[in-house]
Amino acid sequence: MKRISLFLFLVWLPQLVLKAQDLRAPAYPLVTHNPYFSIWSFGDDLSKSATKHWTGQETPLIGMVKVDGAVYRFLGQEAKVYQSVLPAADEKDYSFTYTENEPGAGWQSAQFNASGWKTGTAPFGDDKTQAKTPWESSNLWVRRTFSFSEADAGKLFLKLNHDDNVEVYLNGEEIYRHVGWVHKYEYIPIKPEVAKKLKKEGNVLAIHVANTAGGRWLDAGLVREETTKEYAKVIPAVQKSVQLNATQTIYQFTCGKVDVTATFTSPLLMNNLDVLARPVSYVSMKVKSNDKVAHNVQLYLGASSDIAVNTPDQEVTTQEYTAEKLSILKAGTKAQPMLQKKGDDVRIDWGYVYVAVPASAKSNQYVSSVGKAVAPFLSATTPAVQNTEQGRSLMLSTIVPLGKVGTEAKEQVFLLGYDEVYAVQYFKQNLRPWWKESEAATIEKEMAQASADYAKTIKQCEAFDKQLYQDAQKSGGKEYADLCELAYRQAIAAHILVKSPQGEILFLSKENFSNGSINTVDVTYPSAPLFLVYNPDLLKGMLNGIFYYSESGQWKKPFPAHDLGTYPIANGQTYGEDMPVEEAGNMLILTAAIAKAEGNAEYARKHWETLTIWAEFLKKSGFDPENQLSTDDFAGHLARNANLSVKAIEALGAYGMLAQMLGKAEVAKQYTNDAKEMAQKWMQLAGDGDHFTLAFENKGTWSQKYNLAWDDILDLNIFPKTVRETEVKYYLTKQQPFGLPLDSRKTYTKSDWIIWTATLSDNPKDFKAIITPVWKYANETPSRVPISDWHETVNGRMTGFQARSVVGGYFMKMLEDKLNKQPLQSANTK
């Protein structure tokens, strides 16, 4: 094993000081529980943009403080309010004239004679459950004639939902063109010089949409942006700082004569699964005077009902009530299509979002349209408001009076919760979330418990955050610690925690923004280090479903499935292609890693027959892989993949390790020797002078051999140490400004694999040299989303993927230290 010498450790000793974070996160986590209940700030200043779901759809939170009558906004931005000029189908039925045949020149003009066209009710599409007019051909041309009055004048927008390529005209002038598709309404501004040409009668909105692949859809209208005069009275707060910790994001503001600290805590404490699974976040607002004078202060928190919808056009119902000594607001879709939507860029539209404060806070709570939400807070008397019980994009508002506030801070804690009712479908059975397994469990009780435990929970979170940072800093330096903090909540919140019908823990991931699969094995693999460091039971929860799929006889192949379905439906693999060597290697290595972390192989004993089948498959087919996909499938198929071969070899060594731990000496000897013989042959086939190739006997190529990290971490010692040394030395010559490319084919990279590759180094200097460009990427990337693990090393831009759990792989260096008997003193959070 590698051991850092005392001299080299002293290189990092000066960095082990109190934290002074200067990493600018690509996006800041605010509420992070699972793939659906997830709210982020995508910018540097909390008050300058609307908060969003990790997919990018707005899920607005608004936070304001009133100081002696002056109102300051420090959280979110006021949502735009639109008034329909020409309603789309989500508001009112309407008809297009249309044709599916090439109409000839001038079809988009107001003067065109379309008398031979058909008439159909919008929307058009191939989804028979939602489209009013079927569209099955490749092209569709539509026209809509309308009148326009002076009352409709203003800042106009095209409201459009289309699939695929579209071109839009208004009275013959092109106003929009787009290649690609969307599955929600987009609002595209119409130039004033075009809008002013609209007439009282005879205006024509003309659209051509072309289907190139997949589904078909078209719906369109015109809207006018409404100006809300009340918002003009709101003053933006001055943000002084933001601090991102593992479980908290903390903002400091100056709001006139008071200072406000807004702290967002999602208590994802991995050694307390009941707290981890509780879908309740804390939003704390602390206020104190900054001029030594007491001021009259009120607080406002608004939460949009859009948190509980897939698209803002869905109608919601709301409720205001009191329970468990809490004042509560609740909202959810009227339709409640339980577990009906699956896929990637989708949000939940079943269950309910909740906003609560203790009844003792004497709050004023109400539900209204967005345009009317702020008026009561701006009023001198804070009048009671008649709640809006149903509608679209409503605002759940809570006003809390703090009274006189001086130099001693006063705090108000708001609770944000979500009850999914059912979380996933697992082999045809709907499962409740972990916290709701008991029939007696209710979200009101969960929020009440969260409220009662607030002081204790915050203390635990602060202790954990501090310890995590110190441990990460000790393992890899300050920049490494910053990256671990950045990854922590993102990695955990891409999962849902449930219990299987067999009573086993299931911690099911969503493959965010890559294909939406549930429990993808090659997403589990890179994310595993975080969970091996803090709670291996959660990693078992990622493996249990895959083992069950094989052991129940539903998956019959001699290697593991790629996934269990498409989130949130886990009824069996839906990915179109297997990854035989990849997934077999992943499952064997991770099972061995659990054994190493726990000091016993009992989990492996339970699944030994299945592990043996997979090991035998790798022994036969793993060393020189055929042309097949691997976890880096975005880079394409690759035969004789040298890094994939390393995985197979390490997996066979891991199986030998498990056999040894289970007292199967002959099996252990056989597989360990086989792995070592393969390693020697690998060195011959992949050798290329000063490095090893991307694929066997493919001279002049190279790749990150990140799978080699397990050789040392699991103490397998299958490959000579010189292989790692040779590779690290070569990698240092291939660095780009924002990281080490994945391989010689492209300049893009995967940041999780870079951390694994950096762990191959045997000294802090080389580790830091490989890590620093990744920190630079996180700090400077122009792609302001929950950090993408796939980015360009030459400019730091996101290539694809965002908000994925694989960033749990950033903890690989900490895992190495833990498993190499350099124990981490984790905070006690029980």
Side-chain angles (χ1 to χ4, degrees):
M1 293 187 187
K2 299 192 294 288
R3 289 288 185 265
I4 298 174
S5 69
L6 177 61
F7 174 78
L8 291 175
F9 174 74
L10 291 175
V11 172
W12 279 350
L13 189 58
Q15 300 181 68
L16 301 180
V17 295
L18 289 177
K19 179 182 170 188
Q21 183 190 52
D22 55 1
L23 173 69
R24 182 232 62 180
Y28 290 89
L30 304 178
V31 176
T32 46
H33 288 280
N34 58 54
Y36 289 135
F37 192 29
S38 177
I39 306 174
W40 296 69
S41 174
F42 280 39
D44 297 327
D45 192 318
L46 189 62
S47 69
K48 290 186 177 179
S49 62
T51 56
K52 299 179 180 181
H53 185 263
W54 61 259
T55 56
Q57 178 164 299
E58 291 188 3
T59 48
L61 296 176
I62 302 291
M64 295 185 288
V65 59
K66 183 192 287 187
V67 185
D68 298 334
V71 176
Y72 300 84
R73 185 193 66 248
F74 55 84
L75 165 60
Q77 277 208 326
E78 300 84 1
K80 290 184 178 181
V81 180
Y82 298 104
Q83 180 66 40
S84 288
V85 174
L86 190 62
D90 63 316
E91 295 184 77
K92 184 179 180 181
D93 285 344
Y94 72 91
S95 295
F96 273 128
T97 55
Y98 74 97
T99 181
E100 295 174 84
N101 300 314
E102 176 70 49
W107 67 272
Q108 66 271 60
S109 72
Q111 295 76 32
F112 182 78
N113 183 1
S115 59
W117 290 24
K118 301 175 185 178
T119 300
T121 303
F124 290 78
D126 59 356
D127 184 342
K128 296 180 181 179
T129 64
Q130 298 186 55
K132 296 287 182 67
T133 300
W135 169 35
E136 301 290 346
S137 62
S138 298
N139 288 274
L140 179 70
W141 290 263
V142 303
R143 290 167 57 92
R144 185 179 182 185
T145 303
F146 64 97
S147 58
F148 185 81
S149 68
E150 289 186 9
D152 293 325
K155 190 174 182 181
L156 295 183
F157 290 78
L158 170 68
K159 179 180 177 181
L160 180 66
N161 188 350
H162 66 93
D163 184 0
D164 294 358
N165 305 342
V166 72
E167 50 184 307
V168 185
Y169 301 85
L170 192 57
N171 288 340
E173 291 190 59
E174 183 177 307
I175 60 173
Y176 185 64
R177 182 180 292 265
H178 181 78
V179 175
W181 58 276
V182 299
H183 51 75
K184 60 184 178 181
Y185 291 106
E186 300 282 352
Y187 294 83
I188 299 103
I190 297 173
K191 294 179 180 179
E193 56 269 30
V194 176
K196 69 172 57 174
K197 297 177 185 177
L198 289 170
K199 305 169 291 185
K200 288 185 178 181
E201 302 293 340
N203 300 289
V204 174
L205 178 67
I207 304 172
H208 170 219
V209 60
N211 179 63
T212 60
R216 299 165 175 82
W217 193 260
L218 179 62
D219 184 25
L222 298 177
V223 298
R224 181 184 68 248
E225 183 179 347
E226 293 280 270
T227 57
T228 306
K229 295 180 180 178
E230 287 85 353
Y231 281 125
K233 303 175 184 178
V234 178
I235 306 165
V238 177
Q239 183 173 308
K240 297 190 295 184
S241 67
V242 56
Q243 176 67 53
L244 190 156
N245 298 332
T247 65
Q248 295 185 309
T249 304
I250 305 167
Y251 292 88
Q252 301 280 351
F253 302 94
T254 295
C255 301
K257 296 176 181 179
V258 303
D259 292 334
V260 175
T261 301
T263 302
F264 300 84
T265 307
S266 295
L268 304 184
L269 301 170
M270 279 194 276
N271 69 345
N272 188 333
L273 295 187
D274 291 337
V275 173
L276 177 78
R278 180 186 295 152
V280 181
S281 274
Y282 302 108
V283 180
S284 162
M285 301 179 189
K286 286 184 180 179
V287 185
K288 68 176 181 178
S289 169
N290 58 33
D291 66 354
K292 300 182 180 180
V293 176
H295 300 281
N296 191 44
V297 174
Q298 290 181 308
L299 294 170
Y300 171 92
L301 178 67
S304 174
S305 63
D306 287 353
I307 296 168
V309 303
N310 180 42
T311 57
D313 57 286
Q314 291 179 283
E315 190 170 8
V316 298
T317 61
T318 69
Q319 184 181 357
E320 178 193 359
Y321 64 105
T322 301
E324 302 289 338
K325 298 181 180 180
L326 296 174
S327 298
I328 302 171
L329 293 173
K330 169 185 176 181
T333 59
K334 185 178 180 180
Q336 287 296 302
M338 188 70 59
L339 293 168
Q340 289 183 22
K341 288 184 176 63
K342 61 181 181 178
D344 193 7
D345 189 10
V346 295
R347 281 120 326 249
I348 195 168
D349 58 2
W350 67 90
Y352 300 89
V353 61
Y354 294 79
V355 182
V357 292
S360 59
K362 298 181 179 179
S363 64
N364 178 26
Q365 290 189 305
Y366 55 95
V367 181
S368 67
S369 64
V370 171
K372 296 179 179 179
V374 73
F377 191 58
L378 292 172
S379 169
T381 59
T382 315
V385 179
Q386 182 67 39
N387 281 329
T388 303
E389 294 184 356
Q390 64 183 49
R392 295 181 176 88
S393 294
L394 302 178
M395 187 63 74
L396 283 59
S397 298
T398 303
I399 299 173
V400 177
L402 291 186
K404 290 289 185 179
V405 177
T407 54
E408 184 175 343
K410 286 189 177 182
E411 180 182 23
Q412 180 60 52
V413 179
F414 300 81
L415 305 172
L416 287 179
Y418 204 99
D419 181 2
E420 293 180 287
V421 186
Y422 286 99
V424 298
Q425 185 175 104
Y426 181 75
F427 294 101
K428 306 298 184 180
Q429 184 168 336
N430 291 351
L431 301 184
R432 298 180 186 273
W434 180 277
W435 65 270
K436 205 173 185 179
E437 183 187 10
S438 167
E439 291 292 334
T442 67
I443 190 65
E444 291 86 359
K445 290 179 180 178
E446 290 295 305
M447 290 191 296
Q449 191 64 54
S451 181
D453 291 347
Y454 172 69
K456 178 179 71 174
T457 302
I458 292 299
K459 185 177 180 180
Q460 292 170 347
C461 287
E462 290 173 347
F464 175 79
D465 292 352
K466 181 179 179 181
Q467 193 67 60
L468 179 149
Y469 194 85
Q470 289 178 354
D471 291 340
Q473 197 172 8
K474 181 179 178 181
S475 284
K478 181 181 182 303
E479 291 174 339
Y480 176 66
D482 286 348
L483 290 170
C484 288
E485 278 190 317
L486 179 65
Y488 185 82
R489 268 177 283 173
Q490 176 172 317
I492 298 172
H495 299 79
I496 188 70
L497 185 64
V498 296
K499 185 172 287 187
S500 77
Q502 295 75 35
E504 292 186 316
I505 182 174
L506 296 174
F507 195 50
L508 304 174
S509 65
K510 179 174 183 179
E511 192 171 340
N512 289 347
F513 235 74
S514 44
N515 70 14
S517 292
I518 187 169
N519 206 181
T520 303
V521 177
D522 55 286
V523 167
T524 294
Y525 178 69
S527 69
L530 168 63
F531 304 101
L532 286 164
V533 169
Y534 289 109
N535 190 344
D537 282 344
L538 289 172
L539 180 55
K540 293 176 188 176
M542 299 182 220
L543 306 189
N544 283 337
I546 300 296
F547 277 121
Y548 173 79
Y549 194 14
S550 285
E551 291 165 358
S552 66
Q554 297 177 69
W555 178 261
K556 303 180 185 299
K557 299 178 183 181
F559 48 81
H562 167 271
D563 60 77
L564 293 183
T566 303
Y567 198 96
I569 307 301
N571 290 335
Q573 179 172 312
T574 53
Y575 197 65
E577 189 169 354
D578 296 331
M579 296 185 183
V581 174
E582 179 72 49
E583 310 303 24
N586 291 342
M587 291 295 289
L588 282 162
I589 289 171
L590 294 181
T591 303
I594 290 171
K596 182 76 169 178
E598 294 187 329
N600 68 79
E602 292 309 304
Y603 185 69
R605 187 191 303 277
K606 181 179 178 181
H607 301 290
W608 190 249
E609 182 177 342
T610 305
L611 292 168
T612 300
I613 293 171
W614 295 341
E616 289 174 350
F617 169 78
L618 287 180
K619 188 174 179 180
K620 177 182 178 182
S621 305
F623 171 70
D624 196 349
E626 297 176 348
N627 191 25
Q628 61 187 272
L629 288 179
S630 67
T631 191
D632 304 321
D633 57 0
F634 49 86
H637 291 65
L638 181 67
R640 315 197 75 190
N641 185 326
N643 186 47
L644 187 58
S645 177
V646 169
K647 177 172 289 184
I649 295 169
E650 296 290 350
L652 293 173
Y655 180 78
M657 182 197 94
L658 290 169
Q660 186 68 41
M661 294 178 73
L662 292 173
K664 303 176 186 294
E666 287 303 314
V667 174
K669 181 179 179 180
Q670 174 193 337
Y671 276 87
T672 301
N673 288 341
D674 287 344
K676 289 184 176 181
E677 289 176 7
M678 289 180 182
Q680 292 299 317
K681 187 177 179 182
W682 183 94
M683 293 169 63
Q684 296 173 10
L685 293 176
D688 193 13
D690 59 353
H691 70 283
F692 296 91
T693 56
L694 167 67
F696 287 153
E697 299 181 308
N698 191 356
K699 302 296 185 181
T701 65
W702 66 275
S703 64
Q704 292 187 44
K705 307 301 189 299
Y706 53 81
N707 288 314
L708 272 172
W710 295 109
D711 202 47
D712 180 74
I713 290 173
L714 296 182
D715 201 17
L716 300 176
N717 300 311
I718 301 298
F719 286 82
K721 181 182 178 182
T722 54
V723 174
R724 296 195 300 273
E725 292 174 339
T726 297
E727 285 291 274
V728 170
K729 185 177 180 180
Y730 186 78
Y731 298 148
L732 292 173
T733 70
K734 295 297 181 181
Q735 293 270 71
Q736 295 293 330
F738 295 96
L740 177 67
L742 184 64
D743 58 49
S744 52
R745 290 176 291 181
K746 301 284 185 179
T747 56
Y748 57 57
T749 194
K750 291 280 273 80
S751 57
D752 48 337
W753 296 145
I754 292 180
I755 308 298
W756 289 36
T757 294
T759 306
L760 300 178
S761 64
D762 61 4
N763 65 81
K765 181 180 177 182
D766 289 346
F767 180 86
K768 181 177 175 62
I770 297 173
I771 287 293
T772 297
V774 181
W775 187 95
K776 178 180 172 67
Y777 153 66
N779 189 57
E780 298 179 16
T781 177
S783 304
R784 304 308 300 273
V785 297
I787 191 167
S788 170
D789 53 285
W790 181 18
H791 72 271
E792 268 293 342
T793 60
V794 293
N795 58 26
R797 291 186 179 276
M798 165 186 175
T799 302
F801 310 159
Q802 65 195 50
R804 300 211 311 163
S805 63
V806 300
V807 295
Y810 289 8
F811 286 77
M812 192 59 142
K813 181 62 177 171
M814 291 179 69
L815 178 64
E816 178 187 47
D817 289 346
K818 175 181 179 178
L819 298 190
N820 281 358
K821 308 304 181 185
Q822 297 180 30
L824 302 174
Q825 300 299 318
S826 299
N828 182 5
T829 57
K830 285 192 176 180

